Amino acid sequence: MATTVTGTKPLTQTRLGGGSKSRGPNGNGSPKRNGHGHAFFDARSSANRYRIGMWVGMASILMLFTGLSSAYIVRAASANDWQPLRMPRVLLLSTALIIISSITLEFARRKFKNAAQSAHKSLLAVTTLLGFGFLASQVFAWNQLAQQGIYISSNPHSSFFYLLTATHAVHLLGGLAGLMFLTLRSRLRIDDELAAAKGQAQTDAVTLYWHFMDVLWIYLFLLLFFWRQV
Amino acid sequence: MSVETHEAVHRHEPPTSFIRKYIFSLDHKVIGIQYIILALVAVIVGMTMSVLMRMNLSWPGTNWPILGTLFPAGAPGGIMNPEFYLSLVTMHGTIMVFFVLTTAPQGGFGNYFLPIQIGAEDMAFPVLNMLSFWVTLVGFIVILAAIFASGSASTVGPIGGWTGYAPLSALGQIAGPGQGLGMNLWIISIAIFCVGSLLGALNFITTLLNMRTRGMTLMRMPLTCWAWFTTAVLALLSFPVLLGGGILLLLDRLAGTSFFIPGGLYVSGILSGTNPSFPVHTGGSPILWQHLFWFFGHPEVYIAILPGMGATSHILSTFARKPIFGYRAMVFAIFAIGLLGFFVWGHHMFISGMSPYSAMTFSILTLSIGVPSAVKTFNWLGTLWGARIRFTTAMLFAIGFVSLFVAGGITGLVLGQTSLDLPMHDTYFVTAHFHLVMGVASIFGMFAATYFWFPKVFGRFMSEGMGKIHFWITFVGVYCIFVPMHVMGIVGMPRRFSSFTEYTFLSRLHPLVVFVSIVAIITVLAQFLFYFNLIWSIFKGKKAGPNPWDATTLEWITPSPPPHDNFAGVLPTVYRGPYEFAVPGAPNDFVMQTEPETEAERTGGNGHNGHRH
Amino acid sequence: MGRALAVIIWILTLGSVSIFFVKQWWFPAAISSHAAALDRQFLITIIVVGISFTAAQVGLGYMVWKYRERPSHERAMYTHGSNRLEVIWTIVTAIIFIGLAVMGQSVWASLHFNKAPAGSFQVEVVAQQFQWNFHYAGRDGVFGRTDPSLIDDSALNFVGLDETDPSAKDDATHSVIAIPVGRPVELILRSKDVIHNFWVPQLRFKQDLVPGMAIRVHFTANQIGKYELACAELCGQLHFKMKSYMLVLPEAEHQALMALPQDQFQSRVTELLAQYPLPTY
């Protein structure tokens, strides 16, 4: 019986397992990560999970909206029953509010880094208020439309308007919960490196999510009212 | 074997109260077992339904008094009516795909073993992990509720198949029995399931990226971890689309929107908009639902089978006592399958009225997905070549997986072709194909995993004697059930027919139909041996040590069952690949991943930097 | 154990392959012009499938037999694989699989990439839950206007034909489809409620009828006779009973039928149904 398969370098006794540097089809991987134990397990690396988790979660939310957007585009083209809505003006206010809130939150995040806790807290409070302001403005827009007799079943554009804004609002509520979590958290004293790294990572994650909600809203706004008004 | 202690990670004490320990547990191992129990319950429901369906097909009109008592409306006088049969089809498919094939391989085994195999104490987000299970369980309860919510309407759930094609599923009660509350609950259950799976997928990905122990590079991970990781990515990207589609479908049913319902429909004697029970609809696209559904539905097939592939690779290598053949190729193949899986959904829709040109593209992409699948098969055979095979029950099931994966997968070459789909679409050929490959093969992967990891989970072996009887009956049984179904499909037997007596061209298939039903009943009965073995072995099985199979990966360095934090506060360090069997010159025929490099390896290896800690 | 497993795998392989040779359990004889090419493509594919299946299973059985644990050899072979082999089998399978996919397109293209030839016989198919309605244009070859709001089940106006439309005067509807032999047929497929599927096994042809769409397909039947027509897309509780017949008639007989007024049309179809037997299987 052959001892090796054609094309594979025979591994001698002196080059067992992880010792092989060849990146051939073997299962040993590269040994180079063995050496840096400390960096691998420090608090920052462990806290990184919040940032990674947020990116992963955002990918999934992005797919939800990609699915709904493609439904929007297909549905718009599938029949001639599409009646474009007139944009409720208050949506401009929503847009302004969420953009500003994104900026204030970014400052809040940087203030956390600089350990300026009081500025961090007040900026968080401002952002939270702006977030609620955005939601109030959205609710106002829905009311306005309802008063004009435009409901979710009125025509495909209004269906998608209510659906997309409501889905966005539900996700934004998650962001508001995150902001309130950060607010609660900012009252805790940070006394070790692990807690600091964790706090920073969580702040980063929530901020990232909030920016995502901001950009998502702008995208939806453009899609709903500026994309090829059919 | 040595576990190098680098730093003592502070040890997590297990919770002491029963509720925190076994019910609302944050321990990935307990959550994994909860998922498996859920799947074990769900599979009994799904299997019972399949037996009822087979009985109706082979002995139509037979009186089953028990059915008449349990479901007086669906089986009046003990004779199943067509709507009862079709709701069984729907519920069997939904429960099997979602609550068995998605929960057991990923939620169950993935949850239990992914953190251990990468050397982590737990998942990255334990609370999220607990939530994902409980959300999934709520989804299961809702789908069970659909059985009873429809009970008065002579069905045991909605009628729509697991694909729930609109507008049948979108029109509501007016479209016939099984389209009322039961269908709402069906959609809601799937939406809930989507959320649970998404939380799980997020956790899996983050855990794998962030929590690998020292030395556990990506290319040193067991292939199981690669499979779970890819599965999680597929779930993460495909479930949201189904969720979106489900929301649209529910709105069509409840809010009077027209996403999937076109205008001018005339259903059950009522024209759209002329009666409050059928509000006016305009312009919806039924094909849009199919696109959204299959964009999820096709990756879902791989969500079901990839963990089985991972487990099979892992177990084949272990009992072949030989490194896996072509580790890198295996990893690339898993990824290629996952990636291509997103671009082939249209092959479910060749005859749907979709553009024939895009059908052609989908067809070519579909057949390309056979390439990485074949590569995996070749590598499994390569792994067995020159091996020294130990025929444990786990190994038998893993070999069975390879055999069934080939048997089921290869007919994809027929179904993936646009023109051959014309006669084959929606016949038993399709039923046979996907049952073999995504149903039975996946389950064989899970059987192998169960027999293999049981000693780790419970500290005792499962009975090999009972296990082998279980294997022989099941292996022969599934071939006898599903191979004849291909032939039925060639003759032209359509799926989802509650009776074939209407058509003369199908009458010659009757002997096969009866044969399949008899084998199916025997095979199902054999599964109770598995259940018995499972329970019996927990209490009476032979005791197992930490590494009963002489395996190499991290789950085998820790006691059986593992302590609450997996490694008793001491995270392992990894020095080598996952499948170092039969290493020349090594004292044993297996070298654990935690085995440090020998002096010879360190000095002999040219230029690597594996310095000591 | 290894030898037993090998033998079982081989027996199952033999059994699986041989069941495909049972002539009685094969396609019913084809009656459409594209079917010969399609059946040939099917045969080629199934042979490739059969060979690959057999090779893999025989190989698996061989490995299991030969490399079972025996005291005679101490350790397994130590190898991590071979890049060359990986490349070879990737390329070979890619060529075979993608080649099959490309070959499979020609029948598809002939049916779907071209419009129905001029002079095709047109039938409008209007499916509804558990019933087929075939709308014939009559002698003038023009379909009368239809509208869903005109559907009247009690008056047997299942397709919503507008009786006031002059071109509707000679139209006929029936639950049986009658087409001429040897002449291209174009179907205009519609549905009134949910998705149905037009499926005649002998035609080797299937197409969904999607509500809200009018899908045009064409084929040519070249064998006179009566064939069963089934719905192949789940459409509700009586899906399995949504059955009808397709009559393929000699050109002259078909022309005579189409020239009949609606009432005589009905009785003539009934006669023809009785006249032509189903194929024997």
Side-chain angles (χ1 to χ4, degrees):
Chain A
M1 193 189 353
T3 50
T4 52
V5 180
T6 347
T8 305
K9 285 183 206 156
L11 293 165
T12 62
Q13 274 201 345
T14 52
R15 289 174 53 206
L16 278 178
S20 165
K21 207 194 172 198
S22 78
R23 310 204 102 220
N26 72 42
N28 283 324
S30 126
K32 65 172 179 282
R33 293 281 290 272
N34 266 358
H36 69 99
H38 293 283
F40 205 71
F41 275 101
D42 71 8
R44 208 163 57 198
S45 152
S46 156
N48 234 345
R49 75 184 65 175
Y50 297 102
R51 296 188 199 92
I52 298 174
M54 188 51 73
W55 280 110
V56 175
M58 287 184 340
S60 145
I61 296 171
L62 192 66
M63 281 309 289
L64 173 65
F65 281 91
T66 308
L68 293 176
S69 301
S70 43
Y72 182 90
I73 290 163
V74 169
R75 183 62 183 80
S78 79
N80 47 9
D81 58 345
W82 192 274
Q83 294 156 22
L85 290 185
R86 279 201 31 221
M87 187 220 304
R89 293 285 142 194
V90 68
L91 291 183
L92 293 171
L93 175 67
S94 301
T95 312
L97 286 175
I98 200 166
I99 291 176
I100 298 169
S101 74
S102 223
I103 297 168
T104 55
L105 186 59
E106 182 60 28
F107 280 119
R109 187 182 76 86
R110 292 185 183 181
K111 286 290 188 266
F112 185 93
K113 220 168 229 168
N114 303 336
Q117 283 298 313
S118 78
H120 173 71
K121 274 185 229 174
S122 45
L123 280 165
L124 267 184
V126 171
T127 312
T128 314
L129 272 179
L130 288 167
F132 278 110
F134 171 84
L135 278 187
S137 163
Q138 298 292 85
V139 173
F140 188 78
W142 293 334
N143 273 332
Q144 236 180 7
L145 283 177
Q147 272 164 21
Q148 295 165 33
I150 300 172
Y151 301 101
I152 187 163
S153 60
S154 298
N155 81 78
H157 195 205
S158 72
S159 306
F160 273 108
F161 173 76
Y162 282 105
L163 171 71
L164 290 172
T165 49
T167 313
H168 177 261
V170 167
H171 284 92
L172 194 95
L173 280 176
L176 283 171
L179 289 176
M180 286 187 255
F181 170 78
L182 289 189
T183 311
L184 283 178
R185 204 196 147 81
S186 67
R187 299 154 65 106
L188 297 175
R189 188 183 295 278
I190 293 175
D191 41 17
D192 62 31
E193 199 199 343
L194 181 74
K198 200 170 157 184
Q200 181 67 59
Q202 287 169 343
T203 312
D204 287 356
V206 173
T207 311
L208 198 59
Y209 185 73
W210 196 261
H211 291 333
F212 176 57
M213 283 298 120
D214 180 10
V215 174
L216 187 61
W217 167 252
I218 294 169
Y219 160 74
L220 291 176
F221 186 57
L222 293 176
L223 178 74
L224 281 165
F225 296 106
F226 296 91
W227 174 78
R228 202 168 74 87
Q229 280 286 12
V230 237
Chain B
M1 178 186 68
S2 90
V3 180
E4 195 168 332
T5 58
H6 173 64
E7 57 195 295
V9 179
H10 67 107
R11 197 174 169 180
H12 296 280
E13 289 307 321
T16 44
S17 83
F18 179 80
I19 295 204
R20 290 299 307 280
K21 201 169 171 184
Y22 295 111
I23 312 291
F24 295 107
S25 173
L26 298 178
D27 183 344
H28 70 100
K29 297 187 288 300
V30 178
I31 297 170
I33 293 172
Q34 288 172 330
Y35 264 115
I36 290 174
I37 293 172
L38 170 61
L40 286 171
V41 172
V43 80
I44 290 185
V45 179
M47 217 160 57
T48 310
M49 290 178 159
S50 62
V51 169
L52 289 175
M53 278 147 57
R54 287 310 317 173
M55 296 201 306
N56 182 58
L57 291 177
S58 358
W59 302 286
T62 315
N63 195 332
W64 309 98
I66 309 165
L67 273 186
T69 318
L70 285 176
F71 302 99
I79 297 165
M80 207 187 286
N81 61 21
E83 48 269 47
F84 187 88
Y85 175 86
L86 287 176
S87 54
L88 286 178
V89 171
T90 309
M91 296 303 269
H92 165 80
T94 313
I95 289 176
M96 287 301 202
V97 169
F98 290 99
F99 295 98
V100 179
L101 294 175
T102 313
T103 50
Q106 184 78 357
F109 288 102
N111 235 318
Y112 198 108
F113 286 104
L114 179 102
I116 305 187
Q117 287 193 331
I118 61 171
E121 299 161 283
D122 204 323
M123 283 284 196
F125 306 111
V127 177
L128 212 59
N129 201 15
M130 176 184 78
L131 274 178
S132 72
F133 169 74
W134 286 99
V135 169
T136 309
L137 183 68
V138 170
F140 185 60
I141 292 168
V142 173
I143 199 121
L144 290 183
I147 295 180
F148 299 105
S150 319
S152 59
S154 74
T155 61
V156 291
I159 292 179
W162 83 284
T163 53
Y165 273 13
L168 181 64
S169 59
L171 288 168
Q173 193 68 65
I174 190 175
Q179 306 301 336
L181 180 59
M183 184 60 88
N184 289 340
L185 291 175
W186 181 82
I187 300 168
I188 291 168
S189 161
I190 286 174
I192 295 173
F193 186 87
C194 287
V195 174
S197 296
L198 286 170
L199 297 179
L202 191 161
N203 219 343
F204 272 73
I205 296 172
T206 311
T207 304
L208 186 129
L209 292 179
N210 186 241
M211 304 202 33
R212 277 169 292 123
T213 190
R214 197 177 316 112
M216 181 56 85
T217 59
L218 288 174
M219 286 319 231
R220 281 180 183 171
M221 291 195 307
L223 286 168
T224 40
C225 295
W226 277 110
W228 287 318
F229 176 64
T230 313
T231 305
V233 173
L234 291 179
L236 186 87
L237 301 179
S238 67
F239 272 109
V241 177
L242 179 68
L243 180 61
I247 294 171
L248 298 181
L249 189 57
L250 210 55
L251 287 175
D252 269 6
R253 294 174 59 83
L254 301 178
T257 56
S258 309
F259 296 111
F260 306 126
I261 308 179
L265 291 196
Y266 184 89
V267 184
S268 304
I270 301 171
L271 180 69
S272 171
T274 60
N275 185 302
S277 68
F278 191 14
V280 66
H281 289 281
T282 54
S285 163
I287 295 189
L288 175 59
W289 165 260
Q290 297 181 26
H291 279 294
L292 293 173
F293 182 84
W294 286 117
F295 183 84
F296 146 80
H298 200 81
E300 167 63 32
V301 174
Y302 299 108
I303 290 173
I305 190 117
L306 282 176
M309 291 180 175
T312 297
S313 306
H314 196 74
I315 293 163
L316 276 184
S317 174
T318 303
F319 293 116
R321 315 306 299 161
K322 187 167 170 288
I324 195 84
F325 195 89
Y327 177 92
R328 245 162 230 285
M330 287 298 230
V331 173
F332 291 141
I334 293 177
F335 252 80
I337 290 172
L339 184 71
L340 281 170
F342 276 109
F343 300 99
V344 299
W345 80 88
H347 68 228
H348 298 269
M349 301 168 56
F350 288 155
I351 50 103
S352 69
M354 180 181 74
S355 148
Y357 298 97
S358 50
M360 201 166 81
T361 319
F362 279 124
S363 169
I364 289 170
L365 283 166
T366 300
L367 266 66
S368 342
I369 215 168
V371 177
S373 310
V375 166
K376 291 197 80 75
T377 307
F378 286 129
N379 280 312
W380 286 322
L381 293 178
T383 305
L384 294 177
W385 178 49
R388 192 163 183 271
I389 304 171
R390 292 184 187 167
F391 289 98
T392 59
T393 308
M395 184 60 166
L396 291 177
F397 274 103
I399 294 169
F401 175 96
V402 177
S403 174
L404 289 163
F405 177 71
V406 172
I410 196 94
T411 46
L413 291 182
V414 176
L415 293 169
Q417 291 183 42
T418 43
S419 47
L420 299 187
D421 193 53
L422 291 170
M424 289 306 157
H425 185 90
D426 255 357
T427 63
Y428 268 70
F429 198 90
V430 181
T431 315
H433 163 74
F434 75 78
H435 270 88
L436 268 184
V437 71
M438 93 177 273
V440 177
S442 308
I443 291 293
F444 264 56
M446 291 310 109
F447 278 141
T450 308
Y451 286 102
F452 180 67
W453 278 316
F454 190 91
K456 179 50 60 186
V457 176
F458 294 105
R460 288 172 187 275
F461 288 97
M462 283 180 82
S463 155
E464 283 284 309
M466 277 191 265
K468 281 176 179 151
I469 298 172
H470 173 225
F471 169 77
W472 291 115
I473 300 178
T474 313
F475 186 59
V476 176
V478 294
Y479 263 98
C480 293
I481 295 169
F482 294 110
V483 171
M485 283 193 187
H486 290 94
V487 176
M488 297 180 195
I490 293 177
V491 172
M493 183 176 270
R495 297 164 77 179
R496 296 169 175 166
F497 268 36
S498 52
S499 160
F500 301 117
T501 48
E502 298 287 316
Y503 291 89
T504 50
F505 76 96
L506 296 175
S507 56
R508 59 197 151 133
L509 287 170
H510 191 67
L512 270 189
V513 173
V514 173
F515 171 75
V516 165
S517 298
I518 293 171
V519 183
I521 290 168
I522 296 170
T523 313
V524 164
L525 288 178
Q527 305 316 307
F528 288 98
L529 187 64
F530 170 72
Y531 277 82
F532 175 77
N533 193 353
L534 212 54
I535 293 164
W536 183 85
S537 303
I538 292 176
F539 303 104
K540 301 273 175 176
K542 204 171 64 166
K543 283 236 159 78
N547 188 4
W549 308 121
D550 297 341
T552 53
T553 44
L554 294 185
E555 72 267 34
W556 306 109
I557 63 169
T558 184
S560 308
H564 175 64
D565 59 357
N566 296 345
F567 300 101
V570 184
L571 288 182
T573 300
V574 169
Y575 293 93
R576 56 190 76 237
Y579 303 114
E580 288 305 292
F581 292 98
V583 181
N588 295 317
D589 81 332
F590 62 103
V591 185
M592 304 292 289
Q593 285 194 280
T594 49
E595 196 74 41
E597 296 108 319
T598 60
E599 200 58 40
E601 283 177 284
R602 257 193 314 281
T603 51
N606 33 9
H608 68 82
N609 62 347
H611 64 259
R612 295 187 101 154
H613 306 292
Chain C
M1 188 62 75
R3 279 176 285 189
L5 183 58
V7 169
I8 291 284
I9 290 176
W10 291 331
I11 291 175
L12 288 173
T13 307
L14 187 68
S16 303
V17 172
S18 45
I19 194 172
F20 285 82
F21 285 97
V22 180
K23 204 161 177 233
Q24 192 199 353
W25 290 331
W26 198 248
F27 288 115
I31 59 156
S32 60
S33 59
H34 68 271
L38 194 147
D39 285 2
R40 203 185 58 225
Q41 174 68 12
F42 185 85
L43 200 64
I44 294 171
T45 309
I46 210 83
I47 287 170
V48 172
V49 164
I51 291 173
S52 325
F53 170 76
T54 310
Q57 305 288 358
V58 167
L60 183 64
Y62 172 79
M63 302 293 180
V64 166
W65 179 295
K66 173 135 193 231
Y67 299 113
R68 64 189 189 275
E69 184 174 35
R70 273 176 291 189
S72 57
H73 57 286
E74 187 97 311
R75 273 191 195 179
M77 173 170 46
Y78 184 69
T79 168
H80 287 100
S82 147
N83 280 338
R84 195 193 307 172
L85 276 176
E86 301 289 348
V87 171
I88 291 173
W89 58 49
T90 304
I91 291 174
V92 169
T93 48
I95 290 172
I96 296 174
F97 291 3
I98 295 170
L100 275 177
V102 172
M103 280 166 67
Q105 305 296 349
S106 64
V107 180
W108 180 258
S110 75
L111 286 171
H112 284 286
F113 291 178
N114 309 315
K115 284 202 167 128
S120 296
F121 174 69
Q122 286 189 318
V123 187
E124 197 176 47
V125 189
V126 183
Q128 69 184 71
Q129 276 182 323
F130 328 127
Q131 182 181 324
W132 292 100
N133 303 297
F134 296 97
H135 177 195
Y136 300 94
R139 210 179 319 197
D140 63 357
V142 180
F143 289 105
R145 195 178 77 87
T146 56
D147 187 314
S149 64
L150 297 172
I151 296 172
D152 186 350
D153 293 345
S154 56
L156 301 181
N157 186 358
F158 297 114
V159 301
L161 189 65
D162 181 359
E163 308 284 0
T164 60
D165 180 9
S167 57
K169 293 280 182 253
D170 60 346
D171 286 17
T173 60
H174 200 285
S175 64
V176 168
I177 178 169
I179 56 169
V181 72
R183 183 171 149 206
V185 174
E186 180 174 37
L187 302 183
I188 301 152
L189 301 163
R190 300 174 192 277
S191 167
K192 281 157 70 173
D193 38 40
V194 301
I195 300 178
H196 302 276
N197 187 301
F198 180 90
W199 166 227
V200 179
Q202 284 86 352
L203 277 181
R204 307 282 190 275
F205 186 79
K206 229 184 231 122
Q207 178 61 49
D208 273 0
L209 295 88
V210 183
M213 290 173 82
I215 298 168
R216 286 169 180 264
V217 291
H218 59 92
F219 56 82
T220 308
N222 52 21
Q223 195 75 51
I224 292 165
K226 179 172 80 171
Y227 307 96
E228 284 168 311
L229 160 66
C231 173
E233 193 70 73
L234 178 60
C235 60
Q237 77 273 25
L238 296 181
H239 169 53
F240 74 108
K241 272 194 168 166
M242 189 166 161
K243 179 194 176 180
S244 186
Y245 293 97
M246 182 174 80
L247 283 170
V248 183
L249 302 173
E251 181 73 40
E253 200 166 23
H254 183 260
Q255 289 220 336
L257 175 69
M258 288 303 137
L260 292 175
Q262 171 79 0
D263 49 339
Q264 292 176 37
F265 184 91
Q266 304 290 335
S267 51
R268 178 68 186 141
V269 171
T270 314
E271 279 172 36
L272 289 167
L273 278 177
Q275 181 186 332
Y276 288 98
L278 281 171
T280 48
Y281 299 105

